[in-house]
């Protein structure tokens, strides 16, 4: 009886110790399995986020390309308005063809006054008349020269001041076809109360109908598109403030 009593507790203790040790080992191994599952889940999550990021970037890029193509098509589809009649004409310098068309419209009586915006400080009226093959000198009574503007935003600011000074309400805007969307946005933002008639000028050296075939034309339109978007954003932000 006494021997059994001494042996039995020892035996029970050994079994319980072994069980506790085995249990503790199982418990120690359990988190390893769990951490492996968590790591796999995190990797899958990161992979999914990368896929989502790439998809968003691809969608934005596709949208930008689509918007550019639409812009280029709209430029290529521009046409000279059939009826042109306004209080005044403004032409944004950047080529002889632009000024030539503006002077021709003035001489045909399409408006009573012309502003040539962005004229080089050293250019004279006589030189402008010679370049445009005008039948008469560009008199100060009918033609004003803006020598301050250095870019399209400057053209818009100087034109707006000129229009308000003279009380004009309807204006013909003459510039190159590819430049017209941005110029119209700038002028409309500077004087929203004035009606603007867009008059595109087409260069003989620029084939807009097949713009997608020539790398130089694509680059020109792409640069103009970026400037156009930036001008719209800037004018929108200014309007909000």
């Amino acid at each position: 009886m006494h021997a059994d009593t001494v042996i039995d507790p020892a035996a029970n203790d050994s079994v319980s110790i072994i069980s506790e040790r085995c249990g503790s080992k199982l418990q120690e191994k359990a988190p390893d399995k769990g951490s492996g599952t968590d790591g796999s889940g995190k990797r899958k999550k990161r992979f999914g986020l990368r896929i989502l990021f790439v998809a968003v970037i691809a969608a934005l890029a596709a949208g930008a390309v689509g918007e550019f193509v639409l812009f280029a098509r709209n430029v290529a589809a521009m046409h000279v308005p059939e009826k042109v009649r306004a209080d005044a004409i403004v032409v944004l310098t950047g080529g002889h063809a632009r000024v030539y068309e503006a002077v021709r419209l003035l001489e045909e009586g399409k408006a009573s006054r012309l502003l040539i915006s962005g004229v080089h400080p050293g250019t004279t009226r006589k030189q402008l008349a010679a370049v445009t093959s005008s039948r008469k000198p560009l008199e100060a009574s009918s033609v004003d020269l803006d020598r301050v503007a250095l870019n399209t935003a400057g053209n818009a600011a100087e034109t707006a001041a000129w229009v308000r000074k003279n009380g004009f309400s309807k204006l013909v805007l003459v510039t190159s076809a590819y430049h017209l969307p941005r110029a119209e946005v700038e002028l409309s933002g500077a004087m929203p109360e004035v009606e603007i008639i867009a008059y595109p000028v087409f260069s003989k050296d620029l084939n807009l109908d097949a713009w997608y075939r020539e790398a130089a034309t694509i680059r020109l339109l792409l640069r103009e598109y970026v400037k156009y978007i930036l001008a719209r954003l800037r004018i929108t932000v200014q309007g909000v403030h």
Side-chain angles (χ1 to χ4, degrees), residues 60-84:
L60 291 175
V65 171
E67 288 293 327
F68 166 68
V69 171
L70 182 62
F71 172 84
R73 286 180 176 176
N74 288 339
V75 169
M78 285 183 182
H79 61 276
V80 174
E82 295 179 2
K83 296 181 180 180
V84 179

Side-chain angles (χ1 to χ4, degrees), residues 93 117-119 146-156 158:
T93 57
S117 181
V119 178
D146 159 37
R147 303 180 187 274
V148 177
L150 300 176
N151 50 38
T152 307
N155 293 140
E158 295 301 316

Side-chain angles (χ1 to χ4, degrees), residues 64 67-68 71-72 178 181-182 186 218-234:
E67 288 293 327
F68 166 68
F71 172 84
Y178 67 86
R182 178 161 60 102
E186 292 281 10
I218 293 174
R219 286 195 297 269
L220 172 66
L221 290 174
L222 186 57
R223 284 197 302 270
E224 192 59 36
Y225 171 71
V226 172
K227 293 178 181 179
Y228 164 73
I229 293 298
L230 292 176
R232 284 184 58 182
L233 289 173
R234 174 174 50 77

Side-chain angles (χ1 to χ4, degrees), residues 1 17 20 23 38 41 68 70 93 97 99 119 121 129 139-140 142-143 148 165 171 200 204 206 224 229 234-235:
M1 291 291 292
I17 291 170
E20 288 175 4
D38 291 344
F68 166 68
L70 182 62
T93 57
V99 182
V119 178
E139 301 290 348
S142 59
V143 179
V148 177
K165 177 183 176 181
L171 185 70
K204 295 179 181 179
L206 193 62
E224 192 59 36
I229 293 298
R234 174 174 50 77
I235 291 170

